[in-house]
Amino acid sequence: MSEQTVAESPRVAAVVIMAAGAGTRMKSATAKVLHKLSGRSMISWAVDAASFLDPEHLVVVVGHQREQVEAHLAEVAPQAITALQAEQRGTGDAVRAGLSVLPGITGDVVVTSGDVPLLEGATLRDLVQAHREEGNRVTVLTAVVPDPTGYGRIVRDGDAVARIVEQKDASDAERDIAEINAGIYVFDAGLLAEGIASLQAGNAQGELYLTDVIAYASGAGHRVGARVLADYLQTEGVNDRIQLAERGAELNRRLLRHWMAAGVTIVDPATTWIHDGVDLAEDVTLLPNTSLEGATSVGRGACIGPDTTLVDVEVGEGATVVRTHAELAVIADGATVGPFAYLRPGTEVGEKAKVGAFVETKKAVIGAGSKVPHLTYCGDAEIGEGANIGAGTIFANYDGVTKNTSTVGNHSFVGSDSVLVAPVHIADGAYVAAGSTVTGDVGPGELAVARGKQRNIAGWVARRRAGTATDAAARAALGEPSSPSGGGTTSLGAPDAQEAAQ
Ligand code: UD1
Ligand code: CA
């Protein structure tokens, strides 16, 4: 493969991406090209490949569910212009619609489909290069596939391409041809316009087939070439949800291979999913059942998983995240999270801090070295450095109307099962006694105790639970004779004790 890039050759005049079809087989309220693979819509993958060519014009032909597609394109591909194909009369008509927004265009026009998400920009570059080097007027991207059913077949005339015949129009002999039309082409603009003007719908589907431009061109004596792509998986399209899953799995496999080659250990590629746009450093380890989504990044030496989903999360070097679901959170270097943690947006876990088992956080800044180890809700919280939040602590941030923030200072200690009723501020170097419901601020060096004082009622078991095993145990511990009411371990004395025992 030549190292020369298209950027060094003249730019292509336009890329036209066909995306107006109904996508009936998806059976979806969402436009087919908006379905996602590896976190991105099919159409954005197609636009990416097209943009690799740096075309002067990038046209997306829209029609069916066009409002959805246009709104999405405005977000992900503002450089694209759209052309309306009001009625979907076939791929030839789609390209006619595309050309209608490119009046007087000359040069090379590349045509691709919105439903071929694995196609790479480099493949388009090589196709354009072959087209120019061979002096073709049309060049078709083809592949030899194990099962050509459903695709258009390439009918050759020696090295050149004579025509393309659709599955539904093909003879038995033609159906045996294993070389298929990928639906990706480079055309000379003038010849394309001429060819499209010549199209007729006299075929099995009653459509205007773009593929008939090939027969038009070769019939008129123009050179039509083909480039066979060995990596035929790139040419596979998505017409239904089965193919969506298959193409999605292949795209994922390719992304995983990229990251493994870049120094990431992926223990179980079959259950690891990495979205496009995720960034991983060397020596990251991903354990089984891990999904990294959105703009997630993971620093050197960190270990993620098993059973973890991170969406737009930044993980620092050497951090550990086990059985966790996290979104829009930052986990700093050396921090540990999980197992069974739920980090919601606005969570920042500081350096070497710990968020442990069954902890939920939201808009929570947890300072360096602080620990929230067990069974805690930590919402709208600012925790300093080196603090310890005891098991079962609740930051009660919501009074039913508004949410308020509470703070815990450096090296402070909140005892287990405390409720911090926001907004409260616990200063640096303060303690909260276990089981406290804290409604007022706590100053530096203070211990807050906010709970009922303990009282012990002597002889209660003997009076109210006489004859029970508890009573017998108490008597034994106290060195007293067993209960006068019989000393049995099963018979219960008073009726209230029977109720209580149920
Ligand atoms: C097409 C090719 C076939 C090729 C296959 C590769 C034709 C006639 N056939 O078949 O040779 O093997 O692609 O995947 O071109 N579209 C429009 N407007 C329309 C019709 C289609 O924009 O009126 C768009 C679709 O949204 C889709 C693309 O064109 O993105 C291809 O259309 P589709 O109906 O999927 O064509 P295939 O039958 O797959
Ligand atoms: Ca198709």
Side-chain angles (χ1 to χ4, degrees), residues 378-398:
C378 189
D380 298 297
E382 284 168 24
I383 299 170
E385 297 183 359
N388 193 303
I389 308 298
T393 297
I394 304 293
F395 285 73
N397 58 332
Y398 185 47

Side-chain angles (χ1 to χ4, degrees), residues 25-407:
R25 282 171 281 170
M26 294 297 283
K27 300 193 175 141
S28 177
T30 301
K32 175 165 95 171
V33 293
L34 299 191
H35 283 263
K36 289 182 172 181
L37 305 94
S38 299
R40 291 180 46 194
S41 68
M42 255 188 260
I43 190 72
S44 79
W45 284 108
V47 165
D48 246 35
S51 299
F52 189 87
L53 295 177
D54 190 26
E56 282 172 51
H57 306 280
L58 174 50
V59 180
V60 180
V61 181
V62 296
H64 192 78
Q65 292 167 308
R66 63 183 275 234
E67 296 81 6
Q68 279 180 29
V69 179
E70 281 176 342
H72 177 70
L73 284 170
E75 253 178 61
V76 303
Q79 77 275 28
I81 52 174
T82 56
L84 174 63
Q85 185 196 17
E87 250 182 277
Q88 285 75 62
R89 303 196 299 142
T91 47
D93 185 58
V95 173
R96 178 208 47 79
L99 291 180
S100 73
V101 301
L102 301 167
I105 188 155
T106 57
D108 297 329
V109 175
V110 172
V111 175
T112 72
S113 280
D115 63 353
V116 185
L118 268 67
L119 181 77
E120 290 172 14
T123 301
L124 288 178
R125 175 197 61 200
D126 296 344
L127 184 70
V128 170
Q129 217 150 45
H131 178 79
R132 289 175 179 170
E133 279 166 14
E134 294 166 13
N136 298 335
R137 305 291 300 284
V138 182
T139 307
V140 186
L141 186 69
T142 73
V144 177
V145 299
D147 178 12
T149 311
Y151 289 99
R153 309 296 207 285
I154 304 295
V155 181
R156 295 252 182 186
D157 177 8
D159 262 359
V161 176
R163 60 196 175 89
I164 297 174
V165 60
E166 292 304 295
Q167 167 89 20
K168 289 185 177 148
D169 302 292
S171 65
D172 287 349
E174 286 165 341
R175 286 182 187 182
D176 286 341
I177 298 173
E179 184 181 14
I180 59 102
N181 169 27
I184 316 287
Y185 322 79
V186 189
F187 293 99
D188 171 77
L191 178 60
L192 177 61
E194 238 177 72
I196 283 175
S198 80
L199 294 180
Q200 311 250 314
N203 52 55
Q205 303 185 79
E207 290 184 356
L208 298 171
Y209 287 167
L210 178 61
T211 43
D212 287 347
V213 173
I214 279 60
Y216 172 85
S218 65
H222 299 294
R223 202 186 139 77
V224 180
R227 187 177 166 86
V228 188
L229 184 64
D231 178 17
Y232 71 89
L233 293 174
Q234 271 190 55
T235 68
E236 291 190 327
V238 174
N239 296 304
D240 58 31
R241 307 229 193 193
I242 296 163
Q243 292 173 336
L244 179 69
E246 286 170 355
R247 304 299 95 85
E250 179 57 27
L251 199 44
N252 188 56
R253 272 191 288 277
R254 290 176 181 220
L255 285 164
L256 295 183
R257 281 206 292 271
H258 163 81
W259 287 117
M260 290 187 276
V264 173
T265 293
I266 298 176
V267 172
D268 183 16
T271 62
T272 303
W273 296 82
I274 301 179
H275 279 185
D276 182 61
V278 167
D279 190 30
L280 307 176
E282 277 176 24
D283 285 322
V284 163
T285 299
L286 303 181
L287 298 177
N289 268 316
T290 290
S291 185
L292 304 181
E293 305 178 8
T296 292
S297 66
V298 182
R300 189 181 287 266
C303 182
I304 314 292
D307 304 326
T308 294
T309 299
L310 306 182
V311 184
D312 300 322
V313 174
E314 186 185 326
V315 180
E317 294 185 5
T320 313
V321 183
V322 184
R323 288 184 216 280
T324 289
H325 185 100
E327 282 185 54
L328 280 167
V330 177
I331 298 166
D333 294 354
T336 65
V337 174
F340 308 109
Y342 179 26
L343 273 44
R344 291 165 52 200
T347 297
E348 292 176 32
V349 183
E351 243 175 76
K352 294 191 175 149
K354 176 188 173 89
V355 170
F358 305 105
V359 172
E360 175 178 340
T361 63
K362 185 217 77 172
K363 268 198 202 162
V365 179
I366 297 162
S370 285
K371 291 181 176 155
V372 189
H374 338 267
L375 299 158
T376 286
Y377 176 61
C378 189
D380 298 297
E382 284 168 24
I383 299 170
E385 297 183 359
N388 193 303
I389 308 298
T393 297
I394 304 293
F395 285 73
N397 58 332
Y398 185 47
D399 59 13
V401 181
T402 51
K403 301 219 165 119
N404 288 294
T405 298
S406 290
T407 59

